[in-house]
Amino acid sequence: MSILISFASFTGIFVVSYLLRKVLRKCLPQNVYTYIAELLCTFQLVACVYENSVVFSGYSITVYAVVLFMLIFAYSLTFDASGNPARIFELMVKRKCSITEGVIKMFLQIIGGLLAYRYVMLIWKMFSPTEMHTMQAEILDLSCDNPLKVSILEGVLAEMLATSTARCIAGMGIGGQRFYNIVNSFTTVMVTLTGMEWTGMMFNPALATSLAFNCKDHQIHEHVLVYWCGPFLGVLLSMFLFQYILNEIIFDDDVKDTGAVETTNVNGHNGKRSMKRVSSG
């Protein structure tokens, strides 16, 4: 029964986010809405993560993984922004986003994550959907547990490798236009399950800030190093790997398949592959 309540909660979060997007997209200039979209996407993501923690508490890891996969796939169909400071950092490094624009978007992502916490706590306390929701609200009221179960260095490496793996898979465009979102959703679930017991495996600084920043025995410096520096380093690692290793593999495959001296430029946003004379990486 409680999982049906959780699915109703997920639906409510998606509907609220959709309506806010639709109204604000019409009311605000596009250059302003671009910033607000980051807040809304982060709000949607973090609120669903909180609700899925209830599923995790009451059901098996398999059920949690299936629900997580469904959520990530649904994000890919509804998001109109990244909802992840690591992605904004990547755009800044690639000079597709100014430092000022990037910092403002990251700030709004953090706000979106914090608003998501307030939202779920309000719903859980006001309506008490199930006993499990009530217990979770009481626990969060007291203090959340530190998700970092390894050393700071190991945590940084875990979040770095998680981010780089996810970004490399996305950048390669595996699955093509038809199955791209499915492949990336599956990859994210597998990476998350792999490192859950180490850092909570978030590889999203805004998500980590909402879930863990003020947790018991969780120091500010370890939070910044593990959950912010880790993903940012992962972005840099993925860019390096894609530029100097993965692109060469794709290049060789294209030469064998087409017999032409061309490389494959993979658009990480939609999974399309297009032939260009010079690869952009």
Side-chain angles (χ1 to χ4, degrees), residues 63-137:
V63 175
Y64 169 80
V66 171
V67 174
L68 181 60
F69 174 84
M70 294 171 64
L71 286 173
I72 296 171
F73 182 73
Y75 298 151
S76 69
L77 301 178
T78 57
F79 275 16
D80 55 358
S82 67
N84 188 340
R87 176 58 179 153
I88 300 299
F89 176 73
E90 180 179 348
L91 295 177
M92 292 168 65
V93 173
K94 292 180 176 179
R95 298 184 179 180
K96 295 181 179 180
C97 171
S98 69
I99 294 177
T100 301
E101 180 183 353
V103 170
I104 293 174
K105 286 184 176 181
M106 288 183 190
F107 175 76
L108 289 173
Q109 288 170 339
I110 293 173
I111 297 300
L114 297 178
L115 288 175
Y117 168 76
R118 294 298 178 186
Y119 171 82
V120 295
M121 289 294 283
L122 176 66
I123 296 299
W124 290 354
K125 289 182 176 180
M126 183 178 295
F127 298 104
S128 297
T130 66
E131 184 178 347
M132 189 66 70
H133 287 87
T134 303
M135 290 175 57
Q136 287 288 95

Side-chain angles (χ1 to χ4, degrees), residues 11 18 22 24 51 56 72 102 111 156 163 195 225 230 277:
T11 302
Y18 169 78
K22 191 165 186 178
L24 293 175
E51 185 61 41
F56 180 74
I72 296 171
I111 297 300
V156 171
T163 303
L225 289 172
R277 290 290 175 181

Side-chain angles (χ1 to χ4, degrees), residues 237-256:
L237 177 60
S238 68
M239 292 174 64
F240 173 83
L241 291 174
F242 202 86
Q243 180 69 30
Y244 295 105
I245 299 177
L246 297 178
N247 241 13
E248 295 302 319
I249 295 175
I250 296 173
F251 173 83
D252 289 341
D253 288 342
D254 286 335
V255 171
K256 292 176 183 177

Side-chain angles (χ1 to χ4, degrees), residues 177-242:
Q177 187 174 7
R178 186 173 182 180
F179 299 108
Y180 177 80
N181 291 333
I182 294 176
V183 171
N184 283 317
S185 299
F186 180 79
T187 300
T188 302
V189 171
M190 291 298 100
V191 172
T192 300
L193 295 180
T194 299
M196 278 183 63
E197 298 300 320
W198 303 336
T199 65
M201 200 51 72
M202 303 181 204
F203 49 104
N204 182 327
L207 172 64
T209 298
S210 179
L211 266 61
F213 180 73
N214 200 33
C215 286
K216 181 173 60 178
D217 300 324
H218 187 50
Q219 303 299 318
I220 293 178
H221 72 278
E222 69 179 24
H223 179 85
V224 172
L225 289 172
V226 173
Y227 296 109
W228 281 84
C229 295
F232 286 176
L233 290 173
V235 166
L236 297 177
L237 177 60
S238 68
M239 292 174 64
F240 173 83
L241 291 174
F242 202 86

Side-chain angles (χ1 to χ4, degrees), residues 21-81:
R21 284 193 190 96
K22 191 165 186 178
V23 171
L24 293 175
R25 193 182 288 121
K26 288 184 177 180
C27 296
L28 298 174
Q30 179 58 36
N31 61 338
V32 175
Y33 175 76
T34 300
Y35 292 91
I36 302 303
E38 294 292 348
L39 185 152
L40 294 176
C41 287
T42 310
F43 168 85
Q44 181 179 342
L45 183 150
V46 175
C48 287
V49 169
Y50 273 110
E51 185 61 41
N52 204 20
S53 69
V54 177
V55 175
F56 180 74
S57 299
Y59 293 89
S60 67
I61 190 69
T62 302
V63 175
Y64 169 80
V66 171
V67 174
L68 181 60
F69 174 84
M70 294 171 64
L71 286 173
I72 296 171
F73 182 73
Y75 298 151
S76 69
L77 301 178
T78 57
F79 275 16
D80 55 358

